Amino acid sequence: SHHDKTAYAACTSLLATAVPAVSSKELITAYKKRLSKAPWDPEDKISVSAWRSSLWAKALQELREKQKTSDAAADTDIAASIAATAAAADGDCSGNNNNNNDDDDDDDGAARNDTAAAAATSSSAAIAPDCSGLDSSDLGRRLHECFDTTRLSSLAWVADAVSVVGSCHQMGLRTCIITNGHSEVQHPKIEAIKARELIPEIIVGGDEVKAGRMEKPDPGIFLAACKLLEVEPSEVIHVGDSFSSDVKGAFAAGLLGAVWVNASASNRPRGSVLEGSTKLWEIRRLSELL
């Protein structure tokens, strides 16, 4: 998302200032891979902040291991280069011995070897900048704080959301937000955009999971919203941008209808089957609801 891009750009700036030897592109890529596999502790033993800080630290360690491998390969190439240069120098000296210039030849061979060694050292430094002195845990914490703070400060309602919800309220319609995600992640987002000032009733999937229930697309969370609003499922239309979570969940709960906000004009997921009497509408922008 746009907000993620802004946050990663801030992390890139932090890295460029604090540890310029580290490739921000490689580090962020390694972090994203770990984040996609487990965005928070599967056993829920540590906080999301601590977990994601550790993911940054592990990504840095991964880069360090790659650096060690690169260093070892570079050292092997350099050693071979020095040996080849030394052999060439010895050959030159041997050829010149017939001219009885032994002392000059020894000096010349030593000079060649020194030059090769100096060039090799310079090449090694250029290939693998040293980041061995970095504190992975501290840098991981700083990167997470940078990402989180930047992302939260840049969050905003999607286009037309405020005006569309306002119009719904003017028509006497009741509204409720259902959002999936860990409680420690979703509640700060809700606070950042002051969501309750627009829609007071909010159900967070992470809270449901903690209570032993399930989040979208499980029908239970949709029925919980109906109960909160004191309406029947047959009176409710759900609006969301995820076909698998929002549309399928609305059909599973037997709601009146589901509106798929398909801004990117994506195709439906392969093999998706919708059963029931729930009606389906597809729009590109929220303003099309009115």
Side-chain angles (χ1 to χ4, degrees):
S1 70
H2 166 72
H3 310 296
D4 285 350
K5 290 180 180 178
T6 301
Y8 282 123
C11 290
T12 297
S13 297
L14 186 157
L15 286 166
T17 302
V19 280
V22 173
S23 168
S24 59
K25 184 177 181 179
E26 288 187 48
L27 181 60
I28 290 173
T29 297
Y31 169 75
K32 285 182 177 180
K33 287 181 179 179
R34 293 177 179 276
L35 183 68
S36 64
K37 292 179 180 178
W40 42 76
D41 181 9
E43 297 180 357
D44 206 24
K45 292 182 177 180
I46 62 174
S47 69
V48 174
S49 293
W51 177 260
R52 294 186 177 181
S53 294
S54 72
L55 294 186
W56 281 110
K58 289 175 182 177
L60 177 60
Q61 187 59 39
E62 180 181 324
L63 256 63
R64 283 178 169 171
E65 293 303 320
K66 286 183 178 180
Q67 177 181 311
K68 289 179 182 179
T69 302
S70 177
D71 285 348
D75 288 344
T76 300
D77 291 343
I78 291 165
S81 176
I82 292 173
T85 303
D90 289 343
D92 289 344
C93 292
S94 176
N96 287 335
N97 279 342
N98 295 328
N99 296 326
N100 298 318
N101 291 325
D102 295 344
D103 292 340
D104 290 340
D105 294 336
D106 289 342
D107 291 341
D108 182 55
R112 288 173 185 268
N113 291 339
D114 290 344
T115 301
T121 301
S122 175
S123 175
S124 178
I127 292 171
D130 181 28
C131 62
S132 58
L134 295 177
D135 183 335
S136 300
S137 298
D138 180 63
L139 181 58
R141 177 186 57 76
R142 292 169 61 192
L143 283 167
H144 171 68
E145 290 177 354
C146 176
F147 181 91
D148 218 31
T149 301
T150 303
R151 190 170 190 273
L152 287 174
S153 65
S154 68
L155 285 179
W157 289 101
V158 297
D160 302 319
V162 175
S163 61
V164 168
V165 172
S167 297
C168 288
H169 289 168
Q170 288 178 359
M171 290 186 284
L173 299 175
R174 301 175 188 178
T175 56
C176 174
I177 292 175
I178 304 175
T179 179
N180 279 359
H182 199 288
S183 301
E184 290 181 40
V185 176
Q186 297 307 95
H187 282 292
K189 291 181 183 178
I190 291 168
E191 294 300 322
I193 62 173
K194 299 179 180 179
R196 294 188 188 280
E197 292 183 8
L198 182 65
I199 304 177
E201 307 295 352
I202 300 176
I203 299 177
V204 175
D207 295 344
E208 294 296 292
V209 173
K210 285 183 178 180
R213 297 183 288 271
M214 300 178 70
E215 53 186 7
K216 299 185 291 184
D218 185 80
I221 194 170
F222 292 87
L223 298 178
C226 294
K227 185 176 181 180
L228 191 62
L229 296 175
E230 299 181 335
V231 295
E232 294 298 320
S234 58
E235 300 176 287
V236 175
I237 294 176
H238 179 73
V239 182
D241 61 1
S242 170
F243 190 91
S244 59
S245 293
D246 295 308
V247 174
K248 285 192 171 183
F251 270 74
L255 303 187
L256 170 63
V259 179
W260 182 26
V261 185
N262 186 13
S264 60
S266 303
N267 294 323
R268 292 189 188 184
R270 289 185 178 182
S272 58
V273 177
L274 300 174
E275 298 180 350
S277 59
T278 300
K279 299 177 182 178
L280 175 63
W281 296 273
E282 182 177 335
I283 61 177
R284 299 285 179 265
R285 299 179 300 275
L286 277 178
S287 58
E288 296 176 40
L289 278 174
L290 304 176

